[in-house]
Amino acid sequence: MNLTFAYSPCPNDSFAFYALEQGLVSCQNFQITTKRLALHQLNQTQMDMMKVSAVQSFAISQDYQILQAGASFGLGCGPVVVLKKHAPPKINSVAIAGQRTTSHLLWKLWNLNPAVHQVFMPFHQILSAVSSQQVDAGVVVHESRFCLEQYGLAACQDLGKIWHEKFQLPLPLGVLVIKKSLGQKTIQDVEKMLRDSIVYAQSHRLEATRHAMLHAQEKAPRAIEQHIDLYVNDMSLNISEQGHQALQLLKKQFFEKQFFEKTS
């Protein structure tokens, strides 16, 4: 069976799916075609399998289901709000990496000033936009969060930490979804393949990290390693009961904020 699989160039995804992409683990009876896409492109594509924002998964739940493997959860951390160092704390505009994202939903939940202008742009442009004062603030969650100093920026708030303090739950950031029409047997086989890929990467960390560096936006080795440490965790192998509780809570917030018309 031929399967198409899209995911981001972020270090955690490149690390987790390295073995699958390179044919280092059994792909069962599947022929996998992989493609890396930016987050805003992933949230607009319709491949067999996709790594999308948890928020986007709710909007497409009629046709796609969340896989148990391959997710990215923040454990006491998540998107950070960044400002230019020594800039006035007043925020009139904020850059966010896409509308259909957990970062955007959290910003809407915790920001009580509706007058703040939201500017949506690819995640790799956010730090430069804040540094050049095109916008007052940015919300970042990718490896760029570990490179603030070189842009003259500082983090003022971790939205994932606020989520954890309020709900005592992990924060769903990205999830793997698969077409329901493929059937449960295929879905179970795919989940095993994904787990095998993640376990391989964890057992061959150096080579998988080097591979991740090839595709990352930021090339600082320590930033890549920190990003992988944050978002490739036990929840990547199997979403726990707490993880599912967090997904349901985020879904409730999604519909209460009326991000999109309910689809299921």
PDB file of all heavy atoms in Angstrom, residues 15-17 19-20 25-26 28 66-71 176 187-203 232-240 244:
ATOM      1  N   PHE A  15      13.872  14.150  13.796  1.00  0.00           N
ATOM      2  CA  PHE A  15      14.479  13.155  14.687  1.00  0.00           C
ATOM      3  C   PHE A  15      13.586  11.924  14.795  1.00  0.00           C
ATOM      4  O   PHE A  15      14.026  10.788  14.578  1.00  0.00           O
ATOM      5  CB  PHE A  15      14.693  13.787  16.063  1.00  0.00           C
ATOM      6  CG  PHE A  15      15.276  12.878  17.107  1.00  0.00           C
ATOM      7  CD1 PHE A  15      16.652  12.774  17.260  1.00  0.00           C
ATOM      8  CD2 PHE A  15      14.456  12.147  17.968  1.00  0.00           C
ATOM      9  CE1 PHE A  15      17.200  11.952  18.239  1.00  0.00           C
ATOM     10  CE2 PHE A  15      14.991  11.324  18.946  1.00  0.00           C
ATOM     11  CZ  PHE A  15      16.372  11.224  19.078  1.00  0.00           C
ATOM     12  N   ALA A  16      12.318  12.133  15.101  1.00  0.00           N
ATOM     13  CA  ALA A  16      11.400  11.021  15.367  1.00  0.00           C
ATOM     14  C   ALA A  16      11.171  10.143  14.138  1.00  0.00           C
ATOM     15  O   ALA A  16      11.055   8.919  14.250  1.00  0.00           O
ATOM     16  CB  ALA A  16      10.064  11.564  15.876  1.00  0.00           C
ATOM     17  N   PHE A  17      11.126  10.764  12.959  1.00  0.00           N
ATOM     18  CA  PHE A  17      10.777  10.017  11.756  1.00  0.00           C
ATOM     19  C   PHE A  17      11.988   9.716  10.870  1.00  0.00           C
ATOM     20  O   PHE A  17      11.840   9.280   9.727  1.00  0.00           O
ATOM     21  CB  PHE A  17       9.714  10.790  10.969  1.00  0.00           C
ATOM     22  CG  PHE A  17       8.543  11.210  11.825  1.00  0.00           C
ATOM     23  CD1 PHE A  17       8.048  12.505  11.770  1.00  0.00           C
ATOM     24  CD2 PHE A  17       7.966  10.329  12.725  1.00  0.00           C
ATOM     25  CE1 PHE A  17       6.992  12.904  12.576  1.00  0.00           C
ATOM     26  CE2 PHE A  17       6.906  10.705  13.540  1.00  0.00           C
ATOM     27  CZ  PHE A  17       6.418  12.002  13.465  1.00  0.00           C
ATOM     28  N   ALA A  19      14.305   7.307  11.074  1.00  0.00           N
ATOM     29  CA  ALA A  19      14.471   5.900  10.707  1.00  0.00           C
ATOM     30  C   ALA A  19      13.439   5.474   9.678  1.00  0.00           C
ATOM     31  O   ALA A  19      13.736   4.704   8.764  1.00  0.00           O
ATOM     32  CB  ALA A  19      14.369   5.024  11.959  1.00  0.00           C
ATOM     33  N   LEU A  20      12.239   5.980   9.794  1.00  0.00           N
ATOM     34  CA  LEU A  20      11.196   5.670   8.820  1.00  0.00           C
ATOM     35  C   LEU A  20      11.571   6.217   7.448  1.00  0.00           C
ATOM     36  O   LEU A  20      11.512   5.514   6.437  1.00  0.00           O
ATOM     37  CB  LEU A  20       9.865   6.255   9.305  1.00  0.00           C
ATOM     38  CG  LEU A  20       8.591   5.945   8.522  1.00  0.00           C
ATOM     39  CD1 LEU A  20       7.379   6.075   9.427  1.00  0.00           C
ATOM     40  CD2 LEU A  20       8.423   6.876   7.318  1.00  0.00           C
ATOM     41  N   VAL A  25      13.866   1.084   9.641  1.00  0.00           N
ATOM     42  CA  VAL A  25      12.937   0.210  10.355  1.00  0.00           C
ATOM     43  C   VAL A  25      11.948  -0.348   9.341  1.00  0.00           C
ATOM     44  O   VAL A  25      11.778   0.201   8.242  1.00  0.00           O
ATOM     45  CB  VAL A  25      12.174   0.963  11.473  1.00  0.00           C
ATOM     46  CG1 VAL A  25      13.110   1.383  12.584  1.00  0.00           C
ATOM     47  CG2 VAL A  25      11.416   2.172  10.910  1.00  0.00           C
ATOM     48  N   SER A  26      11.309  -1.424   9.700  1.00  0.00           N
ATOM     49  CA  SER A  26      10.344  -2.042   8.799  1.00  0.00           C
ATOM     50  C   SER A  26       9.154  -1.112   8.571  1.00  0.00           C
ATOM     51  O   SER A  26       8.584  -0.567   9.518  1.00  0.00           O
ATOM     52  CB  SER A  26       9.845  -3.364   9.389  1.00  0.00           C
ATOM     53  OG  SER A  26       8.759  -3.865   8.629  1.00  0.00           O
ATOM     54  N   GLN A  28       6.447  -2.243   7.284  1.00  0.00           N
ATOM     55  CA  GLN A  28       5.382  -3.219   7.076  1.00  0.00           C
ATOM     56  C   GLN A  28       5.255  -3.486   5.568  1.00  0.00           C
ATOM     57  O   GLN A  28       6.232  -3.748   4.907  1.00  0.00           O
ATOM     58  CB  GLN A  28       4.070  -2.688   7.671  1.00  0.00           C
ATOM     59  CG  GLN A  28       4.186  -2.150   9.097  1.00  0.00           C
ATOM     60  CD  GLN A  28       4.390  -3.237  10.130  1.00  0.00           C
ATOM     61  OE1 GLN A  28       3.950  -4.348   9.970  1.00  0.00           O
ATOM     62  NE2 GLN A  28       5.070  -2.907  11.222  1.00  0.00           N
ATOM     63  N   ILE A  66      -6.610  11.037  15.283  1.00  0.00           N
ATOM     64  CA  ILE A  66      -5.296  11.232  15.897  1.00  0.00           C
ATOM     65  C   ILE A  66      -4.653   9.880  16.168  1.00  0.00           C
ATOM     66  O   ILE A  66      -5.283   8.975  16.728  1.00  0.00           O
ATOM     67  CB  ILE A  66      -5.426  12.041  17.199  1.00  0.00           C
ATOM     68  CG1 ILE A  66      -5.940  13.451  16.898  1.00  0.00           C
ATOM     69  CG2 ILE A  66      -4.093  12.102  17.939  1.00  0.00           C
ATOM     70  CD1 ILE A  66      -6.250  14.267  18.147  1.00  0.00           C
ATOM     71  N   LEU A  67      -3.403   9.737  15.767  1.00  0.00           N
ATOM     72  CA  LEU A  67      -2.645   8.525  16.058  1.00  0.00           C
ATOM     73  C   LEU A  67      -2.094   8.577  17.480  1.00  0.00           C
ATOM     74  O   LEU A  67      -1.794   9.647  18.007  1.00  0.00           O
ATOM     75  CB  LEU A  67      -1.499   8.368  15.058  1.00  0.00           C
ATOM     76  CG  LEU A  67      -1.897   8.004  13.627  1.00  0.00           C
ATOM     77  CD1 LEU A  67      -0.722   8.227  12.680  1.00  0.00           C
ATOM     78  CD2 LEU A  67      -2.369   6.555  13.551  1.00  0.00           C
ATOM     79  N   GLN A  68      -1.914   7.403  18.061  1.00  0.00           N
ATOM     80  CA  GLN A  68      -1.368   7.318  19.412  1.00  0.00           C
ATOM     81  C   GLN A  68       0.119   7.638  19.449  1.00  0.00           C
ATOM     82  O   GLN A  68       0.661   7.999  20.499  1.00  0.00           O
ATOM     83  CB  GLN A  68      -1.596   5.914  19.981  1.00  0.00           C
ATOM     84  CG  GLN A  68      -2.964   5.687  20.583  1.00  0.00           C
ATOM     85  CD  GLN A  68      -3.130   6.470  21.871  1.00  0.00           C
ATOM     86  OE1 GLN A  68      -3.890   7.456  21.933  1.00  0.00           O
ATOM     87  NE2 GLN A  68      -2.434   6.059  22.910  1.00  0.00           N
ATOM     88  N   ALA A  69       0.802   7.501  18.326  1.00  0.00           N
ATOM     89  CA  ALA A  69       2.254   7.714  18.265  1.00  0.00           C
ATOM     90  C   ALA A  69       2.577   8.949  17.435  1.00  0.00           C
ATOM     91  O   ALA A  69       1.816   9.331  16.547  1.00  0.00           O
ATOM     92  CB  ALA A  69       2.947   6.492  17.680  1.00  0.00           C
ATOM     93  N   GLY A  70       3.725   9.562  17.750  1.00  0.00           N
ATOM     94  CA  GLY A  70       4.237  10.657  16.935  1.00  0.00           C
ATOM     95  C   GLY A  70       3.829  12.052  17.366  1.00  0.00           C
ATOM     96  O   GLY A  70       4.179  13.025  16.709  1.00  0.00           O
ATOM     97  N   ALA A  71       3.113  12.164  18.472  1.00  0.00           N
ATOM     98  CA  ALA A  71       2.638  13.478  18.918  1.00  0.00           C
ATOM     99  C   ALA A  71       3.745  14.273  19.603  1.00  0.00           C
ATOM    100  O   ALA A  71       4.765  13.728  20.034  1.00  0.00           O
ATOM    101  CB  ALA A  71       1.454  13.314  19.873  1.00  0.00           C
ATOM    102  N   LEU A 176      -0.045  13.565  15.125  1.00  0.00           N
ATOM    103  CA  LEU A 176      -0.112  12.883  13.829  1.00  0.00           C
ATOM    104  C   LEU A 176      -1.545  12.448  13.595  1.00  0.00           C
ATOM    105  O   LEU A 176      -2.175  11.850  14.482  1.00  0.00           O
ATOM    106  CB  LEU A 176       0.802  11.660  13.825  1.00  0.00           C
ATOM    107  CG  LEU A 176       2.226  11.860  13.328  1.00  0.00           C
ATOM    108  CD1 LEU A 176       2.981  10.540  13.376  1.00  0.00           C
ATOM    109  CD2 LEU A 176       2.262  12.403  11.916  1.00  0.00           C
ATOM    110  N   ILE A 187      -4.194   1.502  10.350  1.00  0.00           N
ATOM    111  CA  ILE A 187      -3.850   2.499  11.366  1.00  0.00           C
ATOM    112  C   ILE A 187      -2.999   1.879  12.470  1.00  0.00           C
ATOM    113  O   ILE A 187      -1.996   2.457  12.910  1.00  0.00           O
ATOM    114  CB  ILE A 187      -5.136   3.141  11.931  1.00  0.00           C
ATOM    115  CG1 ILE A 187      -5.782   4.023  10.845  1.00  0.00           C
ATOM    116  CG2 ILE A 187      -4.844   3.960  13.188  1.00  0.00           C
ATOM    117  CD1 ILE A 187      -7.160   4.531  11.186  1.00  0.00           C
ATOM    118  N   GLN A 188      -3.341   0.674  12.920  1.00  0.00           N
ATOM    119  CA  GLN A 188      -2.551  -0.008  13.955  1.00  0.00           C
ATOM    120  C   GLN A 188      -1.143  -0.328  13.455  1.00  0.00           C
ATOM    121  O   GLN A 188      -0.158  -0.168  14.188  1.00  0.00           O
ATOM    122  CB  GLN A 188      -3.274  -1.284  14.388  1.00  0.00           C
ATOM    123  CG  GLN A 188      -4.544  -1.025  15.189  1.00  0.00           C
ATOM    124  CD  GLN A 188      -5.363  -2.290  15.393  1.00  0.00           C
ATOM    125  OE1 GLN A 188      -4.939  -3.394  15.038  1.00  0.00           O
ATOM    126  NE2 GLN A 188      -6.550  -2.124  15.956  1.00  0.00           N
ATOM    127  N   ASP A 189      -1.033  -0.772  12.204  1.00  0.00           N
ATOM    128  CA  ASP A 189       0.287  -1.080  11.640  1.00  0.00           C
ATOM    129  C   ASP A 189       1.139   0.188  11.525  1.00  0.00           C
ATOM    130  O   ASP A 189       2.355   0.164  11.772  1.00  0.00           O
ATOM    131  CB  ASP A 189       0.133  -1.726  10.268  1.00  0.00           C
ATOM    132  CG  ASP A 189      -0.416  -3.148  10.337  1.00  0.00           C
ATOM    133  OD1 ASP A 189      -0.399  -3.735  11.435  1.00  0.00           O
ATOM    134  OD2 ASP A 189      -0.871  -3.644   9.294  1.00  0.00           O
ATOM    135  N   VAL A 190       0.509   1.290  11.149  1.00  0.00           N
ATOM    136  CA  VAL A 190       1.222   2.559  11.037  1.00  0.00           C
ATOM    137  C   VAL A 190       1.727   3.006  12.410  1.00  0.00           C
ATOM    138  O   VAL A 190       2.877   3.477  12.536  1.00  0.00           O
ATOM    139  CB  VAL A 190       0.315   3.637  10.404  1.00  0.00           C
ATOM    140  CG1 VAL A 190       0.905   5.035  10.610  1.00  0.00           C
ATOM    141  CG2 VAL A 190       0.124   3.367   8.923  1.00  0.00           C
ATOM    142  N   GLU A 191       0.918   2.851  13.427  1.00  0.00           N
ATOM    143  CA  GLU A 191       1.346   3.251  14.772  1.00  0.00           C
ATOM    144  C   GLU A 191       2.563   2.446  15.220  1.00  0.00           C
ATOM    145  O   GLU A 191       3.495   3.013  15.823  1.00  0.00           O
ATOM    146  CB  GLU A 191       0.195   3.084  15.759  1.00  0.00           C
ATOM    147  CG  GLU A 191      -0.878   4.144  15.606  1.00  0.00           C
ATOM    148  CD  GLU A 191      -1.998   4.028  16.605  1.00  0.00           C
ATOM    149  OE1 GLU A 191      -2.293   2.903  17.051  1.00  0.00           O
ATOM    150  OE2 GLU A 191      -2.598   5.067  16.941  1.00  0.00           O
ATOM    151  N   LYS A 192       2.591   1.163  14.930  1.00  0.00           N
ATOM    152  CA  LYS A 192       3.760   0.353  15.290  1.00  0.00           C
ATOM    153  C   LYS A 192       5.001   0.842  14.546  1.00  0.00           C
ATOM    154  O   LYS A 192       6.090   0.953  15.129  1.00  0.00           O
ATOM    155  CB  LYS A 192       3.514  -1.119  14.972  1.00  0.00           C
ATOM    156  CG  LYS A 192       4.715  -2.006  15.343  1.00  0.00           C
ATOM    157  CD  LYS A 192       4.527  -3.446  14.963  1.00  0.00           C
ATOM    158  CE  LYS A 192       5.711  -4.288  15.466  1.00  0.00           C
ATOM    159  NZ  LYS A 192       7.021  -3.768  15.044  1.00  0.00           N
ATOM    160  N   MET A 193       4.836   1.132  13.253  1.00  0.00           N
ATOM    161  CA  MET A 193       5.950   1.617  12.437  1.00  0.00           C
ATOM    162  C   MET A 193       6.502   2.926  13.010  1.00  0.00           C
ATOM    163  O   MET A 193       7.721   3.126  13.092  1.00  0.00           O
ATOM    164  CB  MET A 193       5.448   1.818  11.010  1.00  0.00           C
ATOM    165  CG  MET A 193       6.424   2.422  10.030  1.00  0.00           C
ATOM    166  SD  MET A 193       5.655   2.620   8.409  1.00  0.00           S
ATOM    167  CE  MET A 193       4.423   3.895   8.758  1.00  0.00           C
ATOM    168  N   LEU A 194       5.616   3.819  13.420  1.00  0.00           N
ATOM    169  CA  LEU A 194       6.042   5.101  13.976  1.00  0.00           C
ATOM    170  C   LEU A 194       6.780   4.919  15.299  1.00  0.00           C
ATOM    171  O   LEU A 194       7.805   5.559  15.551  1.00  0.00           O
ATOM    172  CB  LEU A 194       4.833   6.009  14.175  1.00  0.00           C
ATOM    173  CG  LEU A 194       4.149   6.492  12.888  1.00  0.00           C
ATOM    174  CD1 LEU A 194       2.787   7.090  13.198  1.00  0.00           C
ATOM    175  CD2 LEU A 194       5.031   7.504  12.164  1.00  0.00           C
ATOM    176  N   ARG A 195       6.264   4.037  16.140  1.00  0.00           N
ATOM    177  CA  ARG A 195       6.951   3.776  17.418  1.00  0.00           C
ATOM    178  C   ARG A 195       8.339   3.202  17.176  1.00  0.00           C
ATOM    179  O   ARG A 195       9.310   3.566  17.842  1.00  0.00           O
ATOM    180  CB  ARG A 195       6.120   2.825  18.279  1.00  0.00           C
ATOM    181  CG  ARG A 195       4.874   3.450  18.867  1.00  0.00           C
ATOM    182  CD  ARG A 195       4.266   2.591  19.965  1.00  0.00           C
ATOM    183  NE  ARG A 195       3.014   3.196  20.383  1.00  0.00           N
ATOM    184  CZ  ARG A 195       1.813   2.822  19.942  1.00  0.00           C
ATOM    185  NH1 ARG A 195       1.716   1.830  19.072  1.00  0.00           N
ATOM    186  NH2 ARG A 195       0.727   3.428  20.354  1.00  0.00           N
ATOM    187  N   ASP A 196       8.433   2.283  16.228  1.00  0.00           N
ATOM    188  CA  ASP A 196       9.741   1.691  15.913  1.00  0.00           C
ATOM    189  C   ASP A 196      10.721   2.772  15.453  1.00  0.00           C
ATOM    190  O   ASP A 196      11.910   2.743  15.819  1.00  0.00           O
ATOM    191  CB  ASP A 196       9.597   0.638  14.811  1.00  0.00           C
ATOM    192  CG  ASP A 196       8.912  -0.630  15.290  1.00  0.00           C
ATOM    193  OD1 ASP A 196       8.763  -0.808  16.511  1.00  0.00           O
ATOM    194  OD2 ASP A 196       8.507  -1.444  14.425  1.00  0.00           O
ATOM    195  N   SER A 197      10.231   3.733  14.687  1.00  0.00           N
ATOM    196  CA  SER A 197      11.097   4.814  14.201  1.00  0.00           C
ATOM    197  C   SER A 197      11.586   5.677  15.358  1.00  0.00           C
ATOM    198  O   SER A 197      12.771   6.047  15.421  1.00  0.00           O
ATOM    199  CB  SER A 197      10.335   5.671  13.184  1.00  0.00           C
ATOM    200  OG  SER A 197      11.160   6.694  12.666  1.00  0.00           O
ATOM    201  N   ILE A 198      10.697   5.997  16.291  1.00  0.00           N
ATOM    202  CA  ILE A 198      11.070   6.841  17.433  1.00  0.00           C
ATOM    203  C   ILE A 198      12.061   6.102  18.333  1.00  0.00           C
ATOM    204  O   ILE A 198      13.063   6.680  18.780  1.00  0.00           O
ATOM    205  CB  ILE A 198       9.819   7.271  18.222  1.00  0.00           C
ATOM    206  CG1 ILE A 198       8.935   8.167  17.345  1.00  0.00           C
ATOM    207  CG2 ILE A 198      10.211   8.020  19.505  1.00  0.00           C
ATOM    208  CD1 ILE A 198       7.542   8.400  17.903  1.00  0.00           C
ATOM    209  N   VAL A 199      11.805   4.820  18.581  1.00  0.00           N
ATOM    210  CA  VAL A 199      12.706   4.024  19.427  1.00  0.00           C
ATOM    211  C   VAL A 199      14.090   3.934  18.776  1.00  0.00           C
ATOM    212  O   VAL A 199      15.119   4.032  19.457  1.00  0.00           O
ATOM    213  CB  VAL A 199      12.119   2.618  19.679  1.00  0.00           C
ATOM    214  CG1 VAL A 199      13.165   1.697  20.298  1.00  0.00           C
ATOM    215  CG2 VAL A 199      10.895   2.715  20.583  1.00  0.00           C
ATOM    216  N   TYR A 200      14.128   3.772  17.462  1.00  0.00           N
ATOM    217  CA  TYR A 200      15.417   3.732  16.759  1.00  0.00           C
ATOM    218  C   TYR A 200      16.169   5.038  16.970  1.00  0.00           C
ATOM    219  O   TYR A 200      17.370   5.045  17.262  1.00  0.00           O
ATOM    220  CB  TYR A 200      15.208   3.474  15.272  1.00  0.00           C
ATOM    221  CG  TYR A 200      16.518   3.353  14.509  1.00  0.00           C
ATOM    222  CD1 TYR A 200      17.060   2.106  14.232  1.00  0.00           C
ATOM    223  CD2 TYR A 200      17.222   4.494  14.096  1.00  0.00           C
ATOM    224  CE1 TYR A 200      18.279   1.986  13.551  1.00  0.00           C
ATOM    225  CE2 TYR A 200      18.431   4.384  13.427  1.00  0.00           C
ATOM    226  CZ  TYR A 200      18.952   3.136  13.156  1.00  0.00           C
ATOM    227  OH  TYR A 200      20.165   3.028  12.501  1.00  0.00           O
ATOM    228  N   ALA A 201      15.465   6.159  16.806  1.00  0.00           N
ATOM    229  CA  ALA A 201      16.119   7.465  16.965  1.00  0.00           C
ATOM    230  C   ALA A 201      16.656   7.636  18.381  1.00  0.00           C
ATOM    231  O   ALA A 201      17.766   8.148  18.580  1.00  0.00           O
ATOM    232  CB  ALA A 201      15.138   8.587  16.628  1.00  0.00           C
ATOM    233  N   GLN A 202      15.890   7.212  19.356  1.00  0.00           N
ATOM    234  CA  GLN A 202      16.336   7.334  20.745  1.00  0.00           C
ATOM    235  C   GLN A 202      17.547   6.448  21.019  1.00  0.00           C
ATOM    236  O   GLN A 202      18.388   6.790  21.853  1.00  0.00           O
ATOM    237  CB  GLN A 202      15.181   6.994  21.690  1.00  0.00           C
ATOM    238  CG  GLN A 202      14.061   8.023  21.670  1.00  0.00           C
ATOM    239  CD  GLN A 202      12.839   7.594  22.458  1.00  0.00           C
ATOM    240  OE1 GLN A 202      12.542   6.401  22.576  1.00  0.00           O
ATOM    241  NE2 GLN A 202      12.118   8.557  23.018  1.00  0.00           N
ATOM    242  N   SER A 203      17.622   5.339  20.325  1.00  0.00           N
ATOM    243  CA  SER A 203      18.748   4.415  20.510  1.00  0.00           C
ATOM    244  C   SER A 203      19.965   4.807  19.675  1.00  0.00           C
ATOM    245  O   SER A 203      21.066   4.307  19.915  1.00  0.00           O
ATOM    246  CB  SER A 203      18.325   2.983  20.136  1.00  0.00           C
ATOM    247  OG  SER A 203      17.233   2.560  20.911  1.00  0.00           O
ATOM    248  N   VAL A 232      10.305  15.319  22.135  1.00  0.00           N
ATOM    249  CA  VAL A 232      10.285  13.879  21.879  1.00  0.00           C
ATOM    250  C   VAL A 232      10.394  13.207  23.244  1.00  0.00           C
ATOM    251  O   VAL A 232      11.459  13.119  23.834  1.00  0.00           O
ATOM    252  CB  VAL A 232      11.434  13.431  20.947  1.00  0.00           C
ATOM    253  CG1 VAL A 232      11.319  11.922  20.678  1.00  0.00           C
ATOM    254  CG2 VAL A 232      11.400  14.191  19.632  1.00  0.00           C
ATOM    255  N   ASN A 233       9.243  12.798  23.752  1.00  0.00           N
ATOM    256  CA  ASN A 233       9.173  12.261  25.110  1.00  0.00           C
ATOM    257  C   ASN A 233       8.250  11.043  25.132  1.00  0.00           C
ATOM    258  O   ASN A 233       7.871  10.520  24.069  1.00  0.00           O
ATOM    259  CB  ASN A 233       8.707  13.356  26.083  1.00  0.00           C
ATOM    260  CG  ASN A 233       7.472  14.096  25.567  1.00  0.00           C
ATOM    261  OD1 ASN A 233       6.512  13.463  25.125  1.00  0.00           O
ATOM    262  ND2 ASN A 233       7.494  15.421  25.610  1.00  0.00           N
ATOM    263  N   ASP A 234       7.896  10.593  26.323  1.00  0.00           N
ATOM    264  CA  ASP A 234       7.054   9.392  26.434  1.00  0.00           C
ATOM    265  C   ASP A 234       5.738   9.549  25.681  1.00  0.00           C
ATOM    266  O   ASP A 234       5.188   8.581  25.147  1.00  0.00           O
ATOM    267  CB  ASP A 234       6.766   9.084  27.907  1.00  0.00           C
ATOM    268  CG  ASP A 234       7.985   8.571  28.640  1.00  0.00           C
ATOM    269  OD1 ASP A 234       8.973   8.191  27.967  1.00  0.00           O
ATOM    270  OD2 ASP A 234       7.979   8.560  29.890  1.00  0.00           O
ATOM    271  N   MET A 235       5.239  10.774  25.628  1.00  0.00           N
ATOM    272  CA  MET A 235       3.971  11.032  24.962  1.00  0.00           C
ATOM    273  C   MET A 235       4.099  10.859  23.449  1.00  0.00           C
ATOM    274  O   MET A 235       3.114  10.673  22.751  1.00  0.00           O
ATOM    275  CB  MET A 235       3.503  12.440  25.289  1.00  0.00           C
ATOM    276  CG  MET A 235       2.011  12.588  25.398  1.00  0.00           C
ATOM    277  SD  MET A 235       1.338  11.930  26.912  1.00  0.00           S
ATOM    278  CE  MET A 235       1.611  13.306  27.985  1.00  0.00           C
ATOM    279  N   SER A 236       5.325  10.914  22.926  1.00  0.00           N
ATOM    280  CA  SER A 236       5.539  10.700  21.496  1.00  0.00           C
ATOM    281  C   SER A 236       5.356   9.227  21.125  1.00  0.00           C
ATOM    282  O   SER A 236       4.964   8.905  19.995  1.00  0.00           O
ATOM    283  CB  SER A 236       6.949  11.155  21.088  1.00  0.00           C
ATOM    284  OG  SER A 236       7.173  12.500  21.447  1.00  0.00           O
ATOM    285  N   LEU A 237       5.645   8.343  22.063  1.00  0.00           N
ATOM    286  CA  LEU A 237       5.482   6.915  21.827  1.00  0.00           C
ATOM    287  C   LEU A 237       4.042   6.472  22.012  1.00  0.00           C
ATOM    288  O   LEU A 237       3.550   5.601  21.299  1.00  0.00           O
ATOM    289  CB  LEU A 237       6.388   6.118  22.776  1.00  0.00           C
ATOM    290  CG  LEU A 237       7.883   6.189  22.492  1.00  0.00           C
ATOM    291  CD1 LEU A 237       8.674   5.626  23.658  1.00  0.00           C
ATOM    292  CD2 LEU A 237       8.216   5.437  21.206  1.00  0.00           C
ATOM    293  N   ASN A 238       3.361   7.080  22.979  1.00  0.00           N
ATOM    294  CA  ASN A 238       1.983   6.686  23.265  1.00  0.00           C
ATOM    295  C   ASN A 238       1.307   7.793  24.070  1.00  0.00           C
ATOM    296  O   ASN A 238       1.764   8.131  25.157  1.00  0.00           O
ATOM    297  CB  ASN A 238       1.953   5.375  24.056  1.00  0.00           C
ATOM    298  CG  ASN A 238       0.580   4.766  24.097  1.00  0.00           C
ATOM    299  OD1 ASN A 238      -0.018   4.471  23.071  1.00  0.00           O
ATOM    300  ND2 ASN A 238       0.054   4.594  25.296  1.00  0.00           N
ATOM    301  N   ILE A 239       0.245   8.354  23.533  1.00  0.00           N
ATOM    302  CA  ILE A 239      -0.464   9.416  24.245  1.00  0.00           C
ATOM    303  C   ILE A 239      -1.127   8.816  25.478  1.00  0.00           C
ATOM    304  O   ILE A 239      -1.924   7.882  25.383  1.00  0.00           O
ATOM    305  CB  ILE A 239      -1.510  10.089  23.343  1.00  0.00           C
ATOM    306  CG1 ILE A 239      -0.847  10.711  22.109  1.00  0.00           C
ATOM    307  CG2 ILE A 239      -2.282  11.156  24.110  1.00  0.00           C
ATOM    308  CD1 ILE A 239      -1.823  11.296  21.105  1.00  0.00           C
ATOM    309  N   SER A 240      -0.798   9.346  26.641  1.00  0.00           N
ATOM    310  CA  SER A 240      -1.300   8.818  27.900  1.00  0.00           C
ATOM    311  C   SER A 240      -2.747   9.248  28.136  1.00  0.00           C
ATOM    312  O   SER A 240      -3.324  10.053  27.395  1.00  0.00           O
ATOM    313  CB  SER A 240      -0.426   9.332  29.050  1.00  0.00           C
ATOM    314  OG  SER A 240      -0.607  10.741  29.197  1.00  0.00           O
ATOM    315  N   HIS A 244      -4.861  12.470  26.608  1.00  0.00           N
ATOM    316  CA  HIS A 244      -6.195  12.506  26.004  1.00  0.00           C
ATOM    317  C   HIS A 244      -7.109  13.487  26.748  1.00  0.00           C
ATOM    318  O   HIS A 244      -7.933  14.169  26.118  1.00  0.00           O
ATOM    319  CB  HIS A 244      -6.793  11.102  25.987  1.00  0.00           C
ATOM    320  CG  HIS A 244      -6.211  10.222  24.921  1.00  0.00           C
ATOM    321  ND1 HIS A 244      -6.451  10.425  23.578  1.00  0.00           N
ATOM    322  CD2 HIS A 244      -5.380   9.154  25.003  1.00  0.00           C
ATOM    323  CE1 HIS A 244      -5.804   9.516  22.880  1.00  0.00           C
ATOM    324  NE2 HIS A 244      -5.144   8.735  23.716  1.00  0.00           N
TER     325      HIS A 244
END
